[in-house]
Amino acid sequence: GRQYLVPPNYASKSKLVEGDILKLAITQEGAFVYKQIGPIGRKRVVCTLEQDGNEMWHATDGVHNWRLLTAAVSYFKGKRGDEVVILIPADAPSKWSAVENIISR
């Protein structure tokens, strides 16, 4: 019943989306080891990469807006206006998405 924060690098590398089920093992040394054990259905959406006034990254398709992890955008060297391919839950609304790829313009 306790909640733990997932490191952004793990979340972006594993392309986690809202609804995925993770298992957490805490070693005797205190290290946290995460494992994705229940990925949910996903769908791909092609969007435009945007950045707001608070320097937070978003993907928009003109109707919906999803937040993105800075770690993922940095990894792909994204810039405002680039085309971004995101993963979102197939059957549920979400505020966040995973970055699958960024295509520079």
Side-chain angles (χ1 to χ4, degrees):
R2 296 173 74 183
Q3 292 186 3
Y4 296 90
L5 294 177
V6 176
N9 285 340
Y10 176 80
S12 64
K13 180 176 72 170
S14 301
K15 298 179 182 160
L16 297 179
V17 299
E18 290 179 61
D20 284 345
I21 299 172
L22 301 177
K23 178 181 177 181
L24 170 62
I26 303 174
T27 66
Q28 289 183 337
E29 295 81 27
F32 286 25
V33 180
Y34 294 92
K35 182 173 181 169
Q36 186 179 16
I37 60 170
I40 64 166
R42 291 157 161 64
K43 79 176 170 184
R44 283 181 182 82
V45 180
V46 178
C47 295
T48 302
L49 187 60
E50 302 283 336
Q51 195 173 31
D52 65 21
N54 296 324
E55 302 298 312
M56 301 297 295
W57 291 101
H58 300 269
T60 183
D61 64 358
V63 177
H64 301 94
N65 193 38
W66 295 274
R67 289 187 63 187
L68 304 172
L69 290 172
T70 301
V73 176
S74 296
Y75 175 78
F76 288 106
K77 298 175 178 58
K79 299 179 295 300
R80 285 186 188 109
D82 284 348
E83 196 170 82
V84 59
V85 181
I86 62 170
L87 300 172
I88 59 172
D91 299 320
S94 64
K95 294 180 182 179
W96 289 86
S97 67
V99 175
E100 185 168 58
N101 207 345
I102 293 178
I103 302 154
S104 295
R105 292 196 173 211

